[in-house]
Amino acid sequence: MARILVCDDERDIVRALKIYLTAAGYEVLEAYNGKEALDVVGENEVDLIVLDVMMPVMDGIEAIMKLRENYDMPVIFLSAKSEDQDKILGLNIGADDYVTKPFNMVEVEARIKSNLRRYRAPAKAETDETVVLGGIVLNDRTKEVTSDGEKITLTPKEYEILKLLMENPGRVFSPKEIYRRVWNEDPFGSESTVTVHIRHLREKIEMNPAEPRYIKVVWGQGYRIERG
């Protein structure tokens, strides 16, 4: 049974999600601001967080920034805002997915399942657990990544994108194909989401993201990774 933390200052939303997700077989923990969410995570093993953006005491943006210092479980942002820049901000600071209010319970559950499935994907066999490309080493058993010997902390989706590219060096993947493989969903409107994740990934693994050694853009086609 997966344990889900639902954090929103609107108690009706927390209550409704708890009822629905509990009926779907999840254990649900509650929090009503970012500080409470961090306290819950510090005291419990949490598999996924559904996190509101606008909250008192500590909002979701500050909460996820603090969360990513020590934890890498999937985080799905909830927000009443639908503008692209708000989605991009959430993805840039470490969110794995984004649901706009008002939302459909079925959609939220589907996104929870999708993120848990990707995060819990079984590791490769011991003989095929490490991928090396240039100065980047990815260990699929421990989910650790180093760049020139320095450990890099990635979100689950950043990790999966890097893994996909590293296992296929030189191959060009379109944003839609990356989204389909990593998110396992219909890639409609996926370009901006993938672009944000690629940019964030570059900032972590590249010495100079403006002149990347590894992840290259193939204009009009997509992205590929080179040996650097």
Side-chain angles (χ1 to χ4, degrees):
M1 177 188 296
R3 182 177 291 164
I4 310 298
L5 170 59
V6 176
C7 180
D8 196 305
D9 63 319
E10 297 185 53
R11 292 179 178 267
D12 288 344
I13 288 179
V14 175
R15 187 180 304 112
L17 280 169
K18 183 172 184 177
I19 292 171
Y20 186 89
L21 295 174
T22 299
Y26 297 99
E27 179 182 351
V28 180
L29 304 177
E30 304 171 42
Y32 301 98
N33 60 62
K35 185 178 183 303
E36 289 184 6
L38 293 173
D39 290 341
V40 171
V41 171
E43 297 172 0
N44 300 270
E45 183 175 342
V46 175
D47 297 298
L48 180 145
I49 302 174
V50 178
L51 183 67
D52 187 32
V53 175
M54 301 301 294
M55 295 181 291
V57 183
M58 181 186 292
D59 62 25
I61 292 173
E62 184 178 356
I64 195 171
M65 291 175 68
K66 291 182 177 296
L67 184 76
R68 286 302 183 222
E69 294 176 2
N70 299 296
Y71 303 97
D72 64 351
M73 75 281 285
V75 176
I76 299 175
F77 259 166
L78 293 179
S79 176
K81 299 178 180 179
S82 59
E83 292 83 356
D84 287 342
Q85 58 265 33
D86 297 304
K87 296 180 182 180
I88 289 173
L89 173 61
L91 295 170
N92 261 329
I93 61 176
D96 296 278
D97 215 335
Y98 195 104
V99 177
T100 303
K101 298 177 183 178
F103 52 80
N104 184 300
M105 291 288 186
V106 175
E107 178 188 2
V108 175
E109 184 189 3
R111 292 183 180 273
I112 287 173
K113 285 182 177 178
S114 177
N115 279 280
L116 287 174
R117 183 169 59 247
R118 285 192 298 274
Y119 190 69
R120 292 175 166 180
K124 290 186 174 182
E126 191 76 16
T127 56
D128 193 26
E129 65 184 11
T130 302
V131 184
V132 180
L133 190 144
I136 304 175
V137 179
L138 180 149
N139 187 313
D140 200 37
R141 180 176 62 84
T142 62
K143 306 300 181 185
E144 293 182 346
V145 175
T146 60
S147 180
D148 295 327
E150 180 180 350
K151 185 176 179 180
I152 306 298
T153 300
L154 302 178
T155 66
K157 283 193 177 66
E158 290 167 357
Y159 176 89
E160 292 300 327
I161 292 173
L162 180 61
K163 177 184 171 186
L164 173 64
L165 295 176
M166 287 183 65
E167 289 180 338
N168 299 273
R171 176 176 171 181
V172 178
F173 288 90
S174 70
K176 288 185 177 181
E177 186 172 4
I178 291 173
Y179 192 89
R180 186 182 295 110
R181 285 174 174 249
V182 173
W183 276 258
N184 196 29
E185 296 174 0
D186 188 319
F188 177 75
S190 60
E191 286 82 357
S192 62
T193 299
V194 171
T195 298
V196 167
H197 279 77
I198 291 288
R199 183 170 69 245
H200 205 46
L201 186 55
R202 277 175 165 171
E203 290 172 354
K204 294 181 177 182
I205 68 170
E206 302 280 5
M207 184 174 297
N208 180 3
E211 298 180 4
R213 293 167 55 196
Y214 298 109
I215 300 177
K216 307 285 190 177
V217 174
V218 180
W219 296 109
Q221 298 182 50
Y223 303 94
R224 70 166 183 260
I225 197 164
E226 298 180 356
R227 298 191 180 276

